[in-house]
Amino acid sequence: MSESLVLVLNCGSSSLKFAIIDHTCGAEVLHGQAERLESAEASLTVKSADGKTNIPIENANHSRAISEIVKVVQRVDGLVEKIKAVGHRVVHGGELFHKSMLINDATITQLRECEHLAPLHNPANILGIEAAREVFPDLPHTAVFDTAFHQTMPSKACIYPLPYDLYKDHGIRRYGFHGTSYRYVSQQAAVELGRDESELATVIAHLGNGASVAAVDGGKSQDTSMGMTPNEGVVHGTRCGSIDPSIPEYLVQNLNMSMDEVSDILWKKSGLLGISGLSNDCRSIEEAAAGDHELSQLALEIYSYRLAKEIASLVVPLGRLDALVFTGGIGENSTLIRGEVIRQLGFLGLELDAAANERCIRGQQGRISTESGPAVLVIPTNEELMIAQDAAAFIA
């Protein structure tokens, strides 16, 4: 184990994921999650090579949760002394942050200026940062932004066709997300293909409960499916993705819904869950579809079709396609989705290697296409390692 470890924190409004990572190789010494914070059911789950431990932390807030994590770390002889930096995932950096940043009081002020762009995420991210800075005041803290990778998009890709003043005065534009994942996967795709990242034109599909696609040319984002919020683009687990923008107006005017009710539908009751009526989990839907559940079959058809359309459209900013890469929970494990998408993209020269496709699940990386056309790869993402490496850069 390295003598220089990084604590990675990913704070939600009522949860806190953490990992202690050796940034030189990606090995996780400890990881876990605090859940249901600020409630009587709050608990901390810790996983290590020795197994899993669940610790009740009734009514704990973010600060106490981090303190409880420190107590767990202190029980491992010499471990806390090896933590040399803290890396924080921050969802939205707006146009202020084009790269990971060392956190100081000025950075916190700027982060607050971005809160309106991600009101469900950024305030929780800031809570975690402030709590961690109290517990680890002498360590460097680094903010790593989901949006930063996409700041290389040209104006034609990120400006919406709305009155330009809405962008200039209010920052309404496409920002894109999953950037930390794209950065890691783009690098790994180059390694897998034995080529320089600067030479590659790649479309990457990050498919999980939240899903997006990005066009990456020479390691830089040229366009992406997510927009100002993470609810644009392809079908998600519970979110609708791109729809006619007048549908919310119709629901309010004709079905007498409030905007809160409409928002609840668009963010929490749509996507795979909304179509199937069963679940937002792709595995459950695939099992139901195999059992002739028609709406589950339809959910998978819509998901695959819209994903294939998005991938095809993102070849436009690249001008060519060297590789298509699948990552994220669904991208890394759904042989069905991958196979159906590749079938629909055959006109791009993609051809599935069925045996390789079946092999690449549960963390197995590799090529799942034949050698005759552009490569199709499965690469497990590792956002935590990217955050740890960015934080480690500030240790000196």
Side-chain angles (χ1 to χ4, degrees), residues 155-370:
S155 296
K156 65 182 180 182
C158 68
I159 303 297
Y160 288 117
L162 295 167
Y164 189 76
D165 286 350
L166 290 175
Y167 162 63
K168 185 177 64 174
D169 298 337
H170 303 286
I172 296 176
R173 51 157 285 187
R174 171 176 280 108
Y175 289 97
F177 299 87
H178 293 140
T180 308
S181 174
Y182 287 129
R183 186 155 55 99
Y184 175 81
V185 171
S186 177
Q187 294 171 7
Q188 292 303 305
V191 173
E192 181 71 28
L193 294 172
R195 295 179 60 181
D196 193 296
E197 186 183 13
S198 64
E199 302 173 352
L200 285 177
T202 309
V203 174
I204 304 173
H206 178 110
L207 310 177
N209 191 47
S212 67
V213 187
V216 182
D217 190 8
K220 298 183 184 300
S221 176
Q222 301 302 309
D223 203 347
T224 188
S225 60
M226 281 182 172
M228 180 173 171
T229 76
N231 198 2
E232 189 178 354
V234 298
V235 178
H236 309 271
T238 65
R239 307 195 294 260
C240 60
S242 295
I243 59 171
D244 184 328
S246 292
I247 289 176
E249 179 185 0
Y250 179 91
L251 296 176
V252 170
Q253 293 182 351
N254 293 277
L255 300 184
N256 298 317
M257 291 186 181
S258 67
M259 277 309 301
D260 285 343
E261 290 173 318
V262 172
S263 180
D264 195 52
I265 288 173
L266 301 183
W267 286 86
K268 299 178 181 178
K269 296 179 179 178
S270 297
L272 289 173
L273 173 63
I275 302 163
S276 71
L278 291 179
S279 175
N280 65 314
D281 189 299
C282 193
R283 294 164 297 185
S284 300
I285 294 172
E286 288 185 19
E287 289 172 5
D292 295 328
H293 187 269
E294 291 185 2
L295 287 181
S296 291
Q297 293 170 347
L298 178 62
L300 294 174
E301 289 175 5
I302 293 172
Y303 188 97
S304 300
Y305 172 69
R306 293 185 62 142
L307 176 57
K309 273 209 314 181
E310 193 71 50
I311 290 169
S313 73
L314 286 173
V315 177
V316 173
L318 299 176
R320 71 181 198 280
L321 181 64
D322 295 321
L324 167 63
V325 187
F326 290 97
T327 193
I330 295 174
E332 294 167 25
N333 294 291
S334 178
T335 59
L336 186 152
I337 294 291
R338 296 192 308 237
E340 185 59 22
V341 168
I342 292 170
R343 182 189 68 79
Q344 294 182 69
L345 293 173
F347 65 92
L348 291 175
L350 305 181
E351 185 175 338
L352 182 70
D353 180 331
N357 188 37
E358 293 297 326
R359 283 197 303 271
C360 286
I361 57 173
R362 292 189 288 274
Q364 185 65 40
Q365 177 172 311
R367 181 169 183 150
I368 61 170
S369 61
T370 63

